[in-house]
Amino acid sequence: MTPAQRRALDAICDTFAPGSVELGVPEQVLDLARLNPSVEERDLRLLLSLFALRRFARLPAARREAVLRAWCDSRLAMRRAAFHGLRKGALLAFYSHSDVQERIGYPGPLGAPATARPSRIQTTPAADLDCDVCVVGSGAGGGVAAAVLAQAGLDVVVLEAGPAVTEADFVGDELEAYRRLYWGAAAATTEDGGIGLLAGECLGGTTTVNWTTSFHTPGAVRAEWGGPFPSDDFTRSLDTVAERSGVNTDHNVPSTRDEIMRRGLDVLGWHVAPMPRNVRGCDQDGVCGYCGFGCQLGAKQSTLVTWLEDAHAAGARIVVDTRAERVVSESGRARGVDAVTKNGASIAIRARAVVVACGAVQTPALLLRSRLANANVGRHLHLHPVTGMSALFDEEVRPWTGTIQALYSDEHADLENGYGLKYETGPIHPGVLVGFSPWRSAEDSAALLADLPRSSGIGLLLRDRGSGEVRLARNGRLRVRYRLADDDARRLRVGIDGAARILEAAGARRIYSSHARKLFYEPGNGRRERFLADVDREGFAPGRCAIFSFHHMGSARLGASSGDSACNWDGETWDIKGLYLMDGSSFPSASGVNPMLTIEAIAHLNASRLAAELA
């Protein structure tokens, strides 16, 4: 980086949050950018060169703020994307520092657990290996598939791109968790920057860092999907994975966030119910709110502490820090996987069959690198887009702690032919608030973060009818294209109104949307209607409103023919025999509920069939 580019970056960070340079924030922003698959170094250098040419670093603070606001409000989506990338990186790094956290009343990381069980899984060094089945991915699909296949007596090798982790590694440090446990440091986005893409990349995959929500596949969705989904066999698989994963509603002491949501729902007379969760021995207090950064109690029944332990006990070999590059095939049949370790060494896993379960973004990318020709590979991507409403209360909320999700509402789950949304809460740590809140000036942003202890929020999880695609650029970089469909945006707007009504009924003092322009109102006669008119003017174009996706589905879907699906109902691809898909990519459409149990049930059903065939 040239000195001029560095001065520009320093000035940008210091404009977002004065004092950033002294805290080393610019270095942290560069580090996050290197980890982010959505950022190319060349583009970042060009962006900083543009700021340098315009002598941004020499401008007074007020003028620098005006320049950044102009980028935020630009007609050009890519300018808005650049603004939000810089904003989130700078503020996330700034609020990761202990003195800043203390200033806003946030207690910071938990620290290492006083006691932690020793690792129950001994990983296998990366090397050329032979086996019956190579399973790519160790999350909801890969973990279950590995256990089922290994317990059937087959020789299984699991490849995981992320690191091995145990409870001792989960110290509750938000920024460090994003860097170490999430794909792309939790900073990846769709191509236009409109939707943030979150997925785990560590042993156990997203199940290690998710929020424990464990819904069965809805009956109406199973009927809509057809094939094996309405069958008794799928029901048995759902019941089996729910039992092994410890799904229950016995650990549902509401957090303050949940109590606020329930208070509002009860006033309105709307639906509210206990959240099914895959936990055993959850403390539902200080540690629980941090389990998006890994559960240091081992209470979350992720594949890390269930299915992967089962697979390992049955003889499966588990290789970490190793990324699958392509599936190898001979005469139209899968024969293994070529992979690269974190240190850059190439290895080859030879197998009788390959199960790909690395998520609905990485799975189609792997298939495309493996030259599968089916037109449905990478298409029909669903994201369950999520935005949120936040509110300031007179009471202390401490939104980062307590049961991570104890309640939910299906009041608007079916707005149109099975498409609608769920209302769910979630813990709010500084980086989460940064992700969903606007920046209009350094002073205004600091005031919003200072309100964190008295803030609460409601997330709107949308079942999307629209879809996107996963593609590879000419240089091999992964590209995710997705634009919120008009009818999905209409349903999201219903959810914004609904969440505002819930928070207002719960006694909120001030209510905010997640738009880039600061949209808020204080409850009073006609004020919500005026606020919604502002929401309608701003809309949901990329960069206009903060939207994230925690659930990626459908990009290599199951089906009855090669014309409309990437693989058959058993998960075997149409292009290559012996190559099976067992993750969220195989969903025929969006599930409308948090997808973990559905993924596990698909893997259980189809891995059982594969085990019978190979045995």
Side-chain angles (χ1 to χ4, degrees):
M1 183 171 292
T2 67
Q5 290 169 334
R6 181 52 195 256
R7 286 193 295 273
L9 177 61
D10 287 353
I12 289 168
C13 293
D14 237 25
T15 306
F16 280 122
S20 289
V21 173
E22 289 85 348
L23 293 175
V25 167
E27 289 84 358
Q28 292 174 288
V29 170
L30 289 176
D31 189 42
L32 290 170
R34 292 185 192 103
L35 294 171
N36 186 350
S38 302
V39 174
E40 293 199 45
E41 184 178 346
R42 177 195 62 183
D43 293 340
L44 178 59
R45 290 177 183 275
L46 287 173
L47 175 64
L48 295 177
S49 292
L50 179 61
F51 275 86
L53 285 170
R54 297 184 177 183
R55 301 180 183 275
F56 180 82
R58 297 187 181 183
L59 298 175
R63 180 60 186 147
R64 282 186 273 121
E65 289 187 338
V67 170
L68 291 180
R69 282 195 300 272
W71 278 67
C72 175
D73 301 336
S74 173
R75 292 183 178 181
L76 302 177
M78 296 317 294
R79 280 204 169 201
R80 301 196 298 269
F83 166 83
H84 288 298
L86 292 168
R87 173 187 67 85
K88 288 186 285 188
L91 293 178
L92 175 61
F94 182 76
Y95 285 98
S96 72
H97 289 273
S98 58
D99 55 340
V100 180
Q101 293 174 342
E102 183 178 0
R103 194 186 312 161
I104 64 173
Y106 175 71
L110 296 170
T115 59
R117 293 182 297 173
S119 175
R120 282 81 62 201
I121 296 173
Q122 300 300 315
T123 59
T124 297
D128 292 348
L129 299 170
D130 293 318
C131 61
D132 291 319
V133 186
C134 177
V135 177
V136 183
S138 66
V144 172
V148 170
L149 293 164
Q151 288 173 334
L154 295 166
D155 184 9
V156 175
V157 169
V158 178
L159 293 182
E160 168 55 52
V165 289
T166 69
E167 287 87 348
D169 298 301
F170 304 143
V171 298
D173 184 308
E174 185 178 21
L175 179 58
E176 184 57 26
Y178 293 151
R179 287 169 41 83
R180 188 174 184 208
L181 306 177
Y182 285 75
W183 170 56
T189 68
T190 51
E191 190 171 46
D192 58 13
I195 299 181
L197 303 171
L198 292 103
E201 188 171 274
C202 59
L203 196 59
T206 303
T207 72
T208 297
V209 295
N210 72 11
W211 289 358
T212 74
T213 301
S214 304
F215 288 109
H216 280 61
T217 321
V221 172
R222 291 173 61 180
E224 176 189 320
W225 286 355
F229 293 103
S231 70
D232 290 341
D233 286 345
F234 188 73
T235 298
R236 281 189 287 271
S237 286
L238 266 175
D239 291 342
T240 298
V241 297
E243 172 63 27
R244 182 65 185 96
S245 300
V247 176
N248 67 84
T249 55
D250 299 330
H251 298 76
N252 286 67
V253 175
S255 67
T256 309
R257 290 173 284 101
D258 288 298
E259 289 285 12
I260 286 170
M261 186 174 76
R262 179 164 64 184
R263 192 164 74 211
L265 289 165
D266 286 346
V267 169
L268 295 171
W270 286 7
H271 171 268
V272 61
M275 182 74 80
R277 305 174 58 225
N278 64 319
V279 294
R280 291 188 173 101
C282 175
D283 79 343
Q284 301 174 82
D285 199 357
V287 174
C288 186
Y290 286 75
C291 66
F293 316 139
C295 176
Q296 62 177 225
L297 299 177
K300 182 194 302 185
Q301 300 299 287
S302 64
T303 62
L304 179 66
V305 301
T306 55
W307 299 99
L308 287 173
E309 287 191 15
D310 296 344
H312 181 261
R317 291 169 285 175
I318 298 174
V319 180
V320 298
D321 286 324
T322 301
R323 186 177 304 278
E325 287 295 308
R326 69 184 185 99
V327 176
V328 176
S329 61
E330 297 172 3
S331 303
R333 187 166 190 87
R335 296 299 182 192
V337 173
D338 286 343
V340 177
T341 70
K342 184 178 180 180
N343 296 326
S346 296
I347 67 168
I349 310 297
R350 294 297 168 251
R352 296 164 57 196
V354 174
V355 172
V356 175
C358 41
V361 173
Q362 298 294 345
T363 284
L366 175 58
L367 300 181
L368 291 169
R369 290 195 299 270
S370 304
R371 307 295 185 186
L372 269 71
N374 184 285
N376 295 288
V377 173
R379 295 179 59 207
H380 315 297
L381 174 70
H382 296 277
L383 293 178
H384 278 178
V386 171
T387 190
M389 295 287 288
S390 61
L392 179 65
F393 288 82
D394 290 325
E395 66 199 87
E396 185 177 61
V397 179
R398 293 173 55 84
W400 54 82
T401 192
T403 304
I404 198 158
Q405 286 187 314
L407 304 170
Y408 74 98
S409 174
D410 266 349
E411 181 67 24
H412 292 139
D414 189 356
L415 293 170
E416 181 185 351
N417 299 323
Y419 284 84
L421 53 94
K422 282 188 176 318
Y423 297 106
E424 301 176 355
T425 70
I428 306 175
H429 296 266
V432 175
L433 187 56
V434 162
F436 283 101
S437 63
W439 185 95
R440 304 307 290 174
S441 72
E443 182 180 7
D444 185 69
S445 176
L448 286 173
L449 269 294
D451 285 336
L452 175 62
R454 294 185 295 130
S455 298
S456 191
I458 295 176
L460 322 172
L461 190 154
L462 180 74
R463 185 189 184 204
D464 50 335
R465 195 197 305 270
S467 64
E469 63 177 0
V470 177
R471 287 288 175 257
L472 297 179
R474 289 183 179 180
N475 63 0
R477 290 182 69 91
L478 185 151
R479 292 286 183 263
V480 179
R481 298 171 183 164
Y482 185 100
R483 186 67 63 91
L484 193 68
D486 289 343
D487 61 330
D488 288 329
R490 287 195 298 272
R491 287 184 283 273
L492 198 62
R493 198 270 195 190
V494 171
I496 286 177
D497 183 27
R501 292 178 66 185
I502 296 167
L503 292 166
E504 188 172 330
R509 177 178 164 188
R510 188 179 302 127
I511 299 169
Y512 300 87
S513 76
S514 296
H515 282 80
R517 291 183 191 265
K518 186 179 178 182
L519 304 185
F520 70 97
Y521 75 100
E522 295 181 357
N525 187 34
R527 293 178 180 176
R528 190 179 75 253
E529 289 75 15
R530 290 192 290 273
F531 163 79
L532 291 170
D534 290 338
V535 168
D536 291 337
R537 275 192 296 273
E538 285 303 302
F540 302 101
R544 299 295 190 196
C545 181
I547 300 176
F548 290 84
S549 171
F550 303 85
H551 308 151
H552 315 149
M553 302 156 287
S555 53
R557 65 188 186 184
L558 299 163
S561 74
S562 60
D564 61 6
S565 61
C567 51
N568 64 24
W569 293 121
D570 290 339
E572 188 174 35
T573 65
W574 299 109
D575 295 62
I576 299 176
K577 295 295 182 184
L579 172 58
Y580 294 81
L581 311 183
M582 299 186 192
D583 60 12
S585 71
S586 64
F587 285 23
S589 68
S591 62
V593 299
N594 304 58
M596 178 176 64
L597 277 193
T598 304
I599 294 171
E600 292 189 349
I602 289 172
H604 184 272
L605 179 65
N606 286 339
S608 297
R609 292 173 176 174
L610 176 58
E613 178 184 329
L614 293 179

